[in-house]
Amino acid sequence: MKRQTGFSLVMAVFILVVLGLLAGYMARMSSVQHATVLHALQSARAYQAARAGLGWSVARLLNSGDCKAIIAQSPLSFEEMPGFTVSIRCSSRSFSEGETKPVVYQLNALSEYGSYQSPDYAARELAVSIVMGE
C-alpha cells in the first residue's frame, strides 16, 4: 500500500498539464478566429468602397462623356469609410459597327486599406464596361 501513495500526485500533474495545453490551444484559436473576422470585415468594407468608386465613376462618365473627369479626381476617399482610398482607372476604345460608332469604356476601381506590407491590409478591385453609342 505504501508504494501507491505518489500515484495521485502524478495523475494530478498530468491532468493540469493537459488542461493547460488545452487552454493555450483554445486561446490561440480564439485569437486566430478574431483576426479572421476582422480581416473579413475589412475586406467587405473594401468591396463596398470599390463599388462606391465605380458608382461615382459611372455617374461622372455619363455626365461628361469621357475619362478625363474621372482620372483627374482619382484617388478618391470617402468620409464614411475612413482609411480607404479608391483608385479609378478609365480607358476607352472606339469601334465601327455599320453606321454606328460605339465607344466601350472600361472602368476599374481598386479600393485599399492600410499599406501593402501591414497585417491589416485589405484590397478589392472591381471592373465594369459601359458601351455608349454615337
Side-chain angles (χ1 to χ4, degrees):
M1 206 124 139
K2 218 171 187 181
R3 296 173 69 197
Q4 296 181 358
T5 56
F7 185 71
S8 331
L9 182 63
V10 172
M11 282 301 286
V13 169
F14 176 75
I15 290 173
L16 285 175
V17 168
V18 169
L19 288 177
L21 290 174
L22 185 61
Y25 175 75
M26 289 174 56
R28 173 76 177 141
M29 290 306 295
S30 175
S31 68
V32 168
Q33 185 178 18
H34 182 69
T36 302
V37 167
L38 285 178
H39 184 68
L41 181 62
Q42 286 299 83
S43 294
R45 288 177 179 160
Y47 173 78
Q48 293 302 327
R51 279 191 58 176
L54 275 182
W56 177 87
S57 302
V58 168
R60 292 289 280 201
L61 183 64
L62 293 176
N63 286 337
S64 68
D66 66 10
C67 290
K68 291 177 188 173
I70 296 168
I71 295 172
Q73 293 192 1
S74 180
L76 303 171
S77 60
F78 299 104
E79 194 175 291
E80 295 81 15
M81 296 180 179
F84 285 92
T85 58
V86 182
S87 301
I88 307 292
R89 288 190 325 249
C90 181
S91 61
S92 63
R93 288 185 63 187
S94 299
F95 294 93
S96 179
E97 294 180 354
E99 293 181 18
T100 62
K101 297 186 190 295
V103 179
V104 177
Y105 292 94
Q106 177 73 31
L107 296 170
N108 292 60
L110 172 65
S111 172
E112 295 179 292
Y113 178 84
S115 64
Y116 184 69
Q117 298 294 330
S118 69
D120 62 343
Y121 177 75
R124 288 291 179 264
E125 184 171 11
L126 299 176
V128 67
S129 297
I130 298 175
V131 179
M132 297 173 77
E134 290 183 12

